[in-house]
Amino acid sequence: LWRSSDLSLQGTLYGHKRGVWDCQFSPFDRVIATASVDQTVKLWSLSSCDCLRTFQGHTSSVLRVRFLTAGLQLLSAGADGLVKLWTIRTNECEATMDGHTDKVWALDLSGDVLVSAGADSRIVVWNDTTSLEEQAKKESEEITLLMEQRLSNHLRFKEYEQALEIAFELDKPNQALKVLSSIIENDIENGKDVLDTLKRHVSLWPMNRTTQVLKYCRDWNTRARNSQIAMLIVRAIVGVIPAATLATTDGIPELFAQITPYAERHFDRLDKIHGNSYLIDFTLFSMGTLLPEEDNWMSKQNFVLPPKHIVAQIHKAKGISHAEKEGPHSEEDSTTEESCDTEDELSTAIPS
């Protein structure tokens, strides 16, 4: 960096690993931007000659650099045929413009119009569409807000079909889960078949919607509390859509492969819980034997699996007939012995 008045050395900017193709002074601040063969753009302070920012993103040499937006942004053009827009404050690439197929050697601004020229013998004029994009984003947010309000209204009035369709259109998995949970709870309260209701919904979905719902099920199935709803929906889909159609649809076989491991884990957990529930039968039966006979406590209880069935299954497995079980004993001794045998057999049959 040289002084223009006496051509004396002002300072040296160290930082680039390879040659520098271009540099540009900021028209508003005491900084300078440089473009290098090392695929970076650097911003330097003219006072201290220190590097303030480094912009990385080009895949080849950076050939041109320019300031714009009152010195708040940078434009860079590279040998990869790309023109990139950078925000200096955040150090982020805001946009990438792909209009050339070869090196971009020329880059300049004229008002709101950007002109670039490259080795592909093309001159490309770029127009600033920031205001149009912001307007489109604002309109999209307004539409989304309106649809979310409609979704809340449908849920409030229990209009689940309309609410589910809006949740899918907005691509909101959590809202879709909430609606499906409400549908299942409503059917259980009214005594309806939940699976039939889900199958009716599935039959109306196109294949792209089915793929979308299976993606939701894959994510829901990773959590135990949502696994039941996910498995019900998967069962409804498999029950309505032929297996050949599911197997030939792009993405669906992979989704089923991702759902399967968590489903097996949940089924193993349920099997373990079901096996441990037999301990409740044993505990309740043991509590009943401690009470006086006249209380008739046992006849008033609803066991997970009735003790009579357990005893019958044990006798059947051991090959003991009803006559052998009674034996040539007195009525009092037979009753006492049968009660003890039942307790021993129950304790043996209960899984640890």
Side-chain angles (χ1 to χ4, degrees):
L1 183 63
W2 307 86
R3 294 181 183 272
S4 59
S5 57
D6 56 1
L7 300 181
S8 61
L9 181 64
Q10 171 72 22
T12 304
L13 312 178
Y14 294 99
H16 283 295
K17 298 178 182 179
R18 300 185 66 183
V20 177
W21 271 108
D22 192 20
C23 63
Q24 179 78 22
F25 287 92
S26 172
F28 299 94
D29 299 313
R30 289 182 56 82
V31 293
I32 184 174
T34 56
S36 172
V37 184
D38 61 6
Q39 306 175 10
T40 64
V41 175
K42 289 183 178 292
L43 188 69
W44 309 83
S45 170
L46 293 178
S47 302
S48 61
C49 296
D50 293 332
C51 180
L52 304 177
R53 291 280 192 278
T54 299
F55 304 91
Q56 297 178 332
H58 284 281
T59 59
S60 188
S61 302
V62 184
L63 305 177
R64 293 292 180 267
V65 62
R66 294 291 183 271
F67 282 95
L68 76 160
T69 319
L72 299 177
Q73 290 181 311
L74 283 173
L75 277 170
S76 62
D80 51 8
L82 301 177
V83 177
K84 289 183 176 290
L85 175 65
W86 309 86
T87 297
I88 296 176
R89 182 177 60 85
T90 61
N91 213 60
E92 294 181 355
C93 179
E94 299 294 342
T96 299
M97 293 162 275
D98 187 4
H100 293 276
T101 59
D102 206 340
K103 298 179 178 67
V104 181
W105 285 107
L107 186 67
D108 211 343
L109 293 165
S110 176
D112 293 336
V113 178
L114 170 67
V115 182
S116 63
D120 55 359
S121 303
R122 298 181 63 192
I123 297 176
V124 181
V125 179
W126 309 87
N127 293 317
D128 186 4
T129 59
T130 304
S131 58
L132 296 177
E133 291 179 358
E134 290 179 351
Q135 181 66 24
K137 183 179 179 180
K138 183 178 179 180
E139 292 176 356
S140 177
E141 290 176 351
E142 291 177 354
I143 294 173
T144 301
L145 184 62
L146 178 61
M147 294 187 71
E148 288 179 351
Q149 183 61 46
R150 290 174 54 192
L151 174 61
S152 300
N153 294 337
H154 287 313
L155 284 174
R156 180 181 178 184
F157 294 106
K158 297 184 177 181
E159 298 172 348
Y160 298 123
E161 294 185 2
Q162 296 89 332
L164 186 61
E165 188 65 25
I166 292 176
F168 288 152
E169 289 180 5
L170 294 175
D171 194 18
K172 292 185 174 294
N174 292 333
Q175 291 291 347
L177 178 62
K178 183 179 179 180
V179 175
L180 289 169
S181 300
S182 301
I183 292 174
I184 293 173
E185 292 175 0
N186 184 65
D187 286 352
I188 293 175
E189 291 177 359
N190 297 329
K192 297 181 181 179
D193 191 344
V194 175
L195 196 59
D196 288 343
T197 303
L198 293 177
K199 286 182 177 179
R200 179 169 54 82
H201 284 285
V202 172
S203 63
L204 301 176
W205 294 343
M207 287 308 299
N208 60 339
R209 179 58 52 79
T210 302
T211 304
Q212 178 186 6
V213 175
L214 283 175
K215 290 179 180 178
Y216 293 168
C217 292
R218 176 197 59 192
D219 298 336
W220 297 339
N221 199 42
T222 58
R223 306 187 67 177
R225 67 178 184 180
N226 300 331
S227 60
Q228 183 179 5
I229 297 177
M231 289 295 97
L232 281 172
I233 297 172
V234 171
R235 182 180 176 185
I237 291 174
V238 173
V240 172
I241 303 176
T245 304
L246 293 174
T248 55
T249 303
D250 292 339
I252 289 185
E254 291 79 8
L255 289 173
F256 276 114
Q258 296 166 2
I259 291 172
T260 301
Y262 281 98
E264 292 177 349
R265 185 182 304 177
H266 294 316
F267 286 137
D268 291 341
R269 177 177 55 85
L270 292 176
D271 287 341
K272 185 177 180 180
I273 294 174
H274 182 263
N276 292 337
S277 66
Y278 286 100
L279 182 61
I280 301 175
D281 286 337
F282 176 72
T283 304
L284 293 177
F285 182 82
S286 300
M287 292 170 60
T289 58
L290 300 176
L291 296 176
E293 188 70 25
E294 58 271 12
D295 287 351
N296 198 20
W297 180 86
M298 297 285 290
S299 61
K300 300 178 183 179
Q301 305 306 313
N302 293 324
F303 294 97
V304 178
L305 188 63
K308 293 181 180 180
H309 294 185
I310 297 177
V311 176
Q313 292 177 5
I314 296 173
H315 289 166
K316 184 177 179 181
K318 291 185 175 182
I320 302 175
S321 64
H322 182 71
E324 292 174 348
K325 182 180 71 172
E326 291 182 354
H329 301 286
S330 63
E331 181 177 357
E332 182 178 355
D333 295 337
S334 176
T335 304
T336 305
E337 183 178 355
E338 181 180 350
S339 177
C340 295
D341 292 341
T342 302
E343 291 185 17
D344 294 340
E345 291 165 353
L346 276 172
S347 62
T348 305
I350 300 301
S352 58

